[in-house]
Amino acid sequence: MIYILYGTDDYSIYEALASLKKGLGDPETLANNTTRLDGSRISPAVLQANVEAFPFFGDKRLIIVDGLLSRCEAKTKSSPSKKTSKNPESDLDAFATVLRSAPPTTITVLIDSVLKKTNPLLKAVADKAEIREYLPLVLPKLPDWIKKRTSQTGTTISDEAAEGLARLVGPNLWILSSELEKLSLYALGRRIEAADVGTAVAASREVGIFELVDAIMSGRSTPALQLLQGFLRDGQAPSYILFMLARQLRLLVRVKSMLASGRSEGFIQDKLKLYGFALNRTIDQAARFSLPRLKAFYRHLLETDLTIKTSRYDEDLAVSLLVAEACSG
């Protein structure tokens, strides 16, 4: 059997794969019969050797292949160069043959991101495969997902709380799942209410990093320092905070350059693999903050990293000074 799981909602793909594994018997036995392959590098011969191998003390083998479909799609877009000894079309035919002729004891799962419906390998094995596309949920559908997810943990959540959580976190299901686990513990068996969301989730690290950058770049030192102290109280290491700030600044510079070149939101999404809330906030910030201001903030980050590594200040003090100085411009 072949399963094709693809799309930009990698959390749902992860859950779908976990569900497939549960249906394949004893987890320990399955672990000994599971192989994960890098589809961007493997040859048809390597795939064939793994697909045709017999299960070891079990009924099924699970072969997970990442990126093979997009690799075949990319190869057909460009003609073979003189330096390329292999024919992309022959590779494609070989991969399709291996997948289609797999023994019934092998479950093959092809995992990928964005694919065209005309993907040649997808078309070649479609009649033998169960194909599932996973797209990010739009905001109006998030509350229903939140309520369903909450009920699976034996907890309930009010409509107002579900809507508030959806607005606060956005469509990143990884973060939503994490926040729901935290809220379930916070509520101690009772129904999760809107006040719980405001108390326990408002300082979420993924959401908070955008707010921290906003406060710093806007010169609002008091809320910036409050956000920073919230991170530190929650146990976030200063080094992690610096890493997240540096990552966001790099994204802002790249998005600013793409916007200046007239690139579309879809282009930016594909290039940076940002979706939903994170994409919208990053584009918004890139449009509002000047390049000299971003560069100045980045210099502050480098100086702070140096002061920590040379032990001039302890980490908590160094990152607090960074925020205060960066707020002053």
Side-chain angles (χ1 to χ4, degrees), residues 49-81:
N50 281 277
V51 164
E52 293 184 352
F54 288 106
F56 180 73
F57 291 112
D59 297 326
K60 299 289 183 182
R61 271 181 58 77
L62 176 63
I63 308 299
I64 305 165
V65 190
D66 297 282
L68 180 59
L69 290 153
S70 54
R71 168 187 170 184
C72 292
E73 186 171 298
K75 277 192 172 184
T76 57
K77 289 179 182 177
S78 58
S79 59
S81 67

Side-chain angles (χ1 to χ4, degrees), residues 21-22 24-34:
K21 288 181 177 180
K22 284 182 180 178
L24 294 177
D26 176 61
E28 189 172 335
T29 303
L30 181 63
N32 293 325
N33 284 290
T34 298

Side-chain angles (χ1 to χ4, degrees), residues 41 79 84 120 123-124 143 191 194 201 206 221 248 279 316:
R41 297 176 180 271
S79 59
T84 304
K123 292 172 66 176
R191 188 174 75 164
V201 185
E206 290 288 341
S221 59
Q248 185 61 17
L279 175 67
D316 285 14

Side-chain angles (χ1 to χ4, degrees), residues 145-288:
W145 184 91
I146 290 169
K147 286 183 279 189
K148 181 180 178 181
R149 181 75 181 182
T150 306
S151 67
Q152 291 172 352
T153 65
T155 313
T156 57
I157 186 170
S158 70
D159 291 345
E160 186 182 0
E163 290 168 5
L165 182 61
R167 287 195 303 271
L168 183 62
V169 176
N172 189 318
L173 300 188
W174 290 100
I175 303 174
L176 279 173
S177 178
S178 174
E179 295 298 348
L180 283 172
E181 289 181 15
K182 184 167 68 177
L183 283 164
S184 296
L185 293 172
Y186 183 82
L188 294 175
R190 61 174 173 78
R191 188 174 75 164
I192 299 168
E193 303 292 349
D196 301 322
V197 173
T199 301
V201 185
S204 168
R205 71 187 69 168
E206 290 288 341
V207 177
I209 202 67
F210 290 104
E211 305 305 326
L212 182 56
V213 170
D214 256 343
I216 292 172
M217 297 296 287
S218 303
R220 295 181 287 117
S221 59
T222 298
L225 288 168
Q226 288 174 342
L227 283 165
L228 173 63
Q229 292 307 313
F231 279 139
L232 295 174
R233 281 196 305 272
D234 288 344
Q236 296 306 307
S239 58
Y240 175 80
I241 297 170
L242 290 175
F243 167 78
M244 290 297 289
L245 287 172
R247 174 182 177 273
Q248 185 61 17
L249 285 179
R250 286 193 295 270
L251 288 172
L252 289 173
V253 171
R254 293 184 66 187
V255 170
K256 198 164 190 67
S257 174
M258 292 180 196
L259 291 174
S261 301
R263 298 297 190 180
S264 68
E265 184 175 309
F267 179 89
I268 295 171
Q269 174 177 287
D270 291 341
K271 280 291 182 183
L272 301 184
K273 306 304 179 189
L274 292 174
Y275 306 99
F277 173 83
L279 175 67
N280 295 333
R281 287 301 300 271
T282 302
I283 290 176
D284 171 67
Q285 289 182 337
R288 288 190 290 115

